[in-house]
Amino acid sequence: MANETPSSPSIPSVLRAYAAPIFIFVLSMFFQLFLLPRSFPTSHYDVLGVKMYGSVDEVREAYEAIASNWDSDSGDARPADFVKIQYAYELLTNLVWKRDYDLYGIDESLHIIDELEKQYAVEDFGKIKIPLLEAVSYEPEREGFMEITSQDFASKLQDSKPWLIQLYSSGSNSSAQFSTAWRRIVDLLDGVANHAMVELGDVRLVTYLAEKKTTGQVLFRKGLPSIVAFPPHCKTADCLIRFDGELSTDAVTDWFATTVLELPRVFYHTKETLVPKFLSKVPPNKVRVILFSQTGERATPSVRQAAKDYWNFASLSYVLWREEDASFWWNALEVESAPAMVIMKDPGLKPVVYHGSGNRTWFLDILEQNKQLQLPQLRSTTSMELGCDARGYSRAGFETATWYCAVLVGRQSAELNKMRETMCRVQNTLSNHEASDEASKDPSVAPAASAHKNKRLTLAWLDGEVQSKYCFFYVQSETSYDTCGTRKSPIDVPRILIIRYHRNATESANLEKKTSNWPKTVWESEADDVDPAAQLVVSYDGPAETPEIIKWLSKMVEDGDSKNLPFYRAKTPELVPEGAEPMRSGVPKSVKATQVLLRLWNRIKDYLADPRMGPTLLLGALLSAGSVWWTRSRAIQQPVQTTQQTPTNQSDDNADEEKKKKERKREQRKRNAKSEEVPTSITDSEPKDAVQILSSGSDSD
């Protein structure tokens, strides 16, 4: 058989096959010839004709050589050239500026060249005032700022507090101008975070803290000063957070409080929005704190830290003080002027107002003193602390055998708020009983007042809707649905209960023995799983008047202390953990997404300025072209080898095929012959060697 020569591939098919390598090659050339030169403009050394990183003496010699040949009257002399030369000379002969330019590429006064070129575009360069740059010597230590170096960096960052660090240059005009704002930032972060400054001369520490390009070179993307932070309990480079915003007091402090500390925001409200958007949304177990501001500036980090620390006790809000609203605030809260701080506790109680602006300690002391409601709420987190739990002990101590808890039970309603106000008056009367003179003392108040003073009597209130099982356990009457559970009718009836707790030493010892780690016996049942303290509950049915309630409480305490009441124990339902108000802290998701896109874009720009990208793309183009050529050459050689087979091989293949056909025919004939020899039934024909054997009892004998 004659050999067949494959046809040559067409040019379009070749171009399609090599499209990817061609595209990568064009991209590498475009990057190398157009993009890369824009990332590496002419340096100041090139302007003076000095080698890169030349010494100050070499810079002076080059400048003097240019100045000696410079003639302002010649037509070749241009003010723009003089400005560039003079600028390069002043920059490179200042040791601090030269260091910053050589090591970090910092040139914060470069805009002066464009400004002077426009100003002296048509004038004689002899009229240009020199020097062009004004030298700055910035020394933060004179202003009381703490400076750290690579030698003491590790030792000073041992504590768990967060750190805010400024990278600055002693010759940077921007760093010197930022000094006032930095002072304010340091004051606002007092007690919340530590602060320090690092000079660019400490190359080792700056390299550790500063951002880096893809080539590993230190980069100050926003110029100087540069601000970084370490969050609490982490001082490694992986935790480092960089500030990329505007260098202002408000922007830096807000970024640090939100991103680094993840503190909740404290929002501003007006007189129209204060009630619907703040006061009505605060949970009933929390104190309301209103801060009046004259400036309208954001909440300081210390205020936001306090809002986080006291989140379970108080909610904070700001109000911008306006003179036209002065009468409204005086009538509503008795606020005369700003700054002021208003504490609102139980319903019906007069707000507590503090005028003036104090320091952080003053502010925290006020919050600590007023973090609790006057009439505390009985919750799963407060029952043990209040002594209103049969599994616990009295507030008076573990040795106290008998104590009491007066609980106001009801659903959230105007009726409950009114009764809470009444119970607050009851508590104030009991607290002030000892301070009153002997003539005004009522002997009927003494038992309750004494028990309250000795912490054997606690007053609290309970949300009967949220704690429905607990409420129904104590309020067992036909009208309990008016007090406990979900509201099924417009009727809300708050009730006052007094619970007497009593611990018996013998019974408590037996209970502890039963509830020990030993396994229960077959005679013990779940009925033995009861609370250690016995409980007796009495409901108040009298008028909602303070004197009557106090007399009733005194009577209950007196009877409970003097009479031998039965020791009855039961299993009290668990208080339901009430959902805490969610704390919205940290950076919002939309802002985080924007920051991620910005970091991605910055990384792309860094790669576009990387001189290694051009050769890398060119190498990729060559490898891709080689891979395409290898694949195509193998695809072309395979059919050629198939068409060039020898006649001998073809004849051998034909012989093998004929042999296989004969074998198949032979097998088919054998199968047909066997099918013809088999009889339809084995009884139709007698075998040739068959012998008939007669039995012994046959007739043939």
Side-chain angles (χ1 to χ4, degrees):
M1 183 180 293
N3 296 340
E4 296 181 0
T5 304
S7 59
S8 301
S10 60
I11 294 179
S13 64
V14 174
L15 292 178
R16 285 194 299 269
Y18 287 91
I22 293 174
F23 174 76
I24 299 175
F25 175 78
V26 173
L27 187 62
S28 66
M29 292 296 102
F30 176 77
F31 177 87
Q32 200 72 17
L33 299 177
F34 296 98
L35 293 181
L36 192 59
R38 296 177 58 184
S39 302
F40 293 89
T42 303
S43 68
H44 297 306
Y45 289 97
D46 297 332
V47 172
L48 296 174
V50 182
K51 66 179 181 179
M52 200 65 179
Y53 310 124
S55 64
V56 175
D57 294 336
E58 293 175 345
V59 171
R60 287 198 178 97
E61 291 177 2
Y63 176 76
E64 291 174 358
I66 296 175
S68 61
N69 298 326
W70 194 272
D71 185 5
S72 61
D73 296 331
S74 63
D76 297 334
R78 295 190 310 118
D81 296 335
F82 174 79
V83 169
K84 293 179 181 179
I85 294 172
Q86 183 66 28
Y87 182 91
Y89 169 72
E90 294 182 14
L91 178 72
L92 298 178
T93 53
N94 185 296
L95 296 180
V96 178
W97 293 344
K98 185 178 187 301
R99 178 204 66 188
D100 296 344
Y101 182 73
D102 292 346
L103 296 179
Y104 312 113
I106 296 176
D107 187 8
E108 62 183 16
S109 301
L110 188 61
H111 61 280
I112 294 179
I113 296 179
D114 296 333
E115 295 175 359
L116 293 177
E117 285 181 356
K118 294 178 181 179
Q119 182 178 356
Y120 297 99
V122 295
E123 295 184 13
D124 184 6
F125 68 85
K127 298 181 180 180
I128 300 178
K129 297 179 182 180
I130 54 176
L132 303 179
L133 304 178
E134 181 179 357
V136 177
S137 180
Y138 177 46
E139 298 180 4
E141 292 183 353
R142 290 187 176 182
E143 301 183 20
F145 298 131
M146 185 179 71
E147 189 170 356
I148 58 175
T149 62
S150 55
Q151 286 75 22
D152 56 5
F153 174 75
S155 61
K156 289 189 176 181
L157 269 72
Q158 290 297 327
D159 61 349
S160 60
K161 270 190 174 183
W163 277 81
L164 182 68
I165 301 175
Q166 178 191 162
L167 305 178
Y168 78 99
S169 173
S170 58
S172 170
N173 187 39
S174 300
S175 298
Q177 292 177 354
F178 187 68
S179 175
T180 303
W182 183 252
R183 167 58 64 190
R184 175 61 176 162
I185 293 172
V186 168
D187 293 339
L188 293 175
L189 293 179
D190 182 31
V192 178
N194 297 324
H195 59 88
M197 300 181 69
V198 177
E199 214 279 327
L200 295 191
D202 194 337
V203 180
R204 179 182 177 185
L205 186 54
V206 170
T207 304
Y208 178 77
L209 296 176
E211 188 178 3
K212 298 175 184 61
K213 296 182 180 179
T214 55
T215 58
Q217 182 182 1
V218 174
L219 170 67
F220 292 97
R221 198 180 301 276
K222 295 288 186 177
L224 292 179
S226 178
I227 297 178
V228 298
F230 287 101
H233 307 287
C234 186
K235 302 298 182 293
T236 62
D238 297 334
C239 306
L240 195 65
I241 305 175
R242 308 184 192 281
F243 175 70
D244 297 325
E246 177 188 358
L247 285 172
S248 64
T249 302
D250 179 73
V252 173
T253 52
D254 182 66
W255 163 79
F256 188 80
T258 304
T259 306
V260 181
L261 300 179
E262 297 185 349
L263 300 178
R265 294 188 179 277
V266 181
F267 296 100
Y268 273 83
H269 292 93
T270 64
K271 64 179 183 180
E272 291 81 14
T273 63
L274 183 64
V275 173
K277 292 189 176 181
F278 175 67
L279 296 179
S280 62
K281 293 186 177 182
V282 177
N285 63 294
K286 297 177 68 174
V287 175
R288 299 159 178 82
V289 181
I290 305 174
L291 304 173
F292 286 84
S293 171
Q294 285 181 322
T295 60
E297 64 180 2
R298 296 179 192 264
T300 62
S302 59
V303 173
R304 296 175 65 175
Q305 183 68 52
K308 180 179 181 180
D309 295 339
Y310 288 88
W311 186 263
N312 294 327
F313 303 97
S315 294
L316 279 67
S317 175
Y318 266 101
V319 170
L320 178 60
W321 177 265
R322 296 178 179 177
E323 291 299 331
E324 56 269 24
D325 299 333
S327 59
F328 173 82
W329 295 120
W330 169 254
N331 295 328
L333 302 173
E334 296 186 0
V335 178
E336 297 179 355
S337 61
M341 181 177 179
V342 179
I343 308 292
M344 301 180 66
K345 294 188 176 182
D346 303 74
L349 294 185
K350 184 179 180 181
V352 182
V353 182
Y354 298 88
H355 286 94
S357 59
N359 55 20
R360 176 175 176 270
T361 305
W362 173 82
F363 174 72
L364 294 180
D365 288 343
I366 292 178
L367 280 183
E368 183 64 26
Q369 296 170 7
N370 298 275
K371 69 177 183 179
Q372 296 286 1
L373 296 174
Q374 184 169 342
L375 185 68
Q377 182 182 8
L378 182 57
R379 310 177 71 193
S380 59
T381 56
T382 61
S383 60
M384 289 291 186
E385 179 183 356
L386 296 175
C388 298
D389 197 317
R391 291 175 294 274
Y393 294 87
S394 169
R395 292 189 301 135
F398 294 161
E399 302 299 328
T400 304
T402 305
W403 69 97
Y404 306 88
C405 190
V407 184
L408 171 65
V409 184
R411 288 188 288 260
Q412 292 291 336
S413 61
E415 291 80 4
L416 179 64
N417 291 338
K418 187 176 180 180
M419 285 301 300
R420 285 177 61 185
E421 182 179 353
T422 302
M423 292 298 290
C424 287
R425 290 196 297 268
V426 171
Q427 186 166 257
N428 288 334
T429 303
L430 296 177
S431 301
N432 299 328
H433 178 73
E434 293 296 330
S436 60
D437 55 358
E438 296 294 332
S440 60
K441 285 185 178 180
D442 187 353
S444 62
V445 181
S450 177
H452 185 266
K453 179 183 178 181
N454 297 329
K455 298 183 178 180
R456 292 197 309 117
L457 174 61
T458 302
L459 277 67
W461 70 276
L462 177 79
D463 191 331
E465 183 174 4
V466 176
Q467 308 292 347
S468 57
K469 291 184 178 180
Y470 193 89
C471 181
F472 282 121
F473 178 79
Y474 288 108
V475 183
Q476 299 181 5
S477 64
E478 297 179 355
T479 58
S480 59
Y481 284 97
D482 296 339
T483 305
C484 308
T486 306
R487 181 179 286 105
K488 298 181 179 179
S489 65
I491 301 175
D492 288 302
V493 181
R495 299 174 186 269
I496 301 176
L497 310 174
I498 186 169
I499 307 171
R500 175 186 180 269
Y501 299 98
H502 181 72
R503 276 181 174 266
N504 184 288
T506 304
E507 292 292 340
S508 298
N510 295 335
L511 181 64
E512 290 178 1
K513 182 178 179 181
K514 290 181 179 180
T515 57
S516 61
N517 294 330
W518 293 97
K520 290 186 176 182
T521 64
V522 295
W523 294 279
E524 292 176 330
S525 62
E526 293 297 329
D528 297 327
D529 187 16
V530 294
D531 298 329
Q535 302 178 73
L536 288 177
V537 184
V538 180
S539 177
Y540 176 69
D541 296 329
E545 297 178 0
T546 303
E548 298 298 326
I549 296 175
I550 294 176
K551 290 180 181 180
W552 174 75
L553 290 175
S554 296
K555 178 62 175 175
M556 295 298 103
V557 171
E558 185 178 6
D559 292 345
D561 291 342
S562 59
K563 295 182 179 180
N564 187 15
L565 300 177
F567 190 84
Y568 174 75
R569 294 181 306 174
K571 180 63 176 177
T572 308
E574 296 283 348
L575 286 166
V576 178
E578 298 185 22
E581 185 182 7
M583 183 186 298
R584 294 180 292 273
S585 60
V587 182
K589 293 183 179 180
S590 58
V591 178
K592 285 185 178 180
T594 304
Q595 292 175 350
V596 170
L597 294 177
L598 181 61
R599 286 195 293 267
L600 179 62
W601 173 242
N602 289 334
R603 182 57 60 181
I604 292 175
K605 291 192 297 184
D606 292 342
Y607 278 112
L608 293 178
D610 192 339
R612 300 173 299 179
M613 287 300 298
T616 302
L617 291 174
L618 181 59
L619 179 62
L622 295 177
L623 293 176
S624 178
S627 176
V628 173
W629 175 82
W630 175 256
T631 304
R632 288 176 57 83
S633 62
R634 287 176 58 87
I636 293 175
Q637 290 176 3
Q638 185 175 358
V640 171
Q641 292 176 357
T642 304
T643 57
Q644 290 180 352
Q645 290 181 349
T646 60
T648 304
N649 293 337
Q650 292 181 357
S651 61
D652 292 342
D653 294 341
N654 294 335
D656 293 340
E657 187 66 26
E658 291 293 334
K659 187 176 180 180
K660 291 179 180 179
K661 289 182 179 179
K662 291 180 180 180
E663 291 291 337
R664 287 196 294 269
K665 290 181 179 180
R666 188 179 299 111
E667 293 293 333
Q668 184 66 30
R669 286 196 296 270
K670 288 181 179 180
R671 287 194 294 269
N672 294 338
K674 289 180 179 180
S675 62
E676 293 176 357
E677 293 176 358
V678 177
T680 58
S681 175
I682 61 175
T683 59
D684 293 343
S685 60
E686 183 178 350
K688 297 179 181 180
D689 56 349
V691 178
Q692 184 174 5
I693 301 176
L694 298 176
S695 61
S696 59
S698 62
D699 296 337
S700 59
D701 294 337

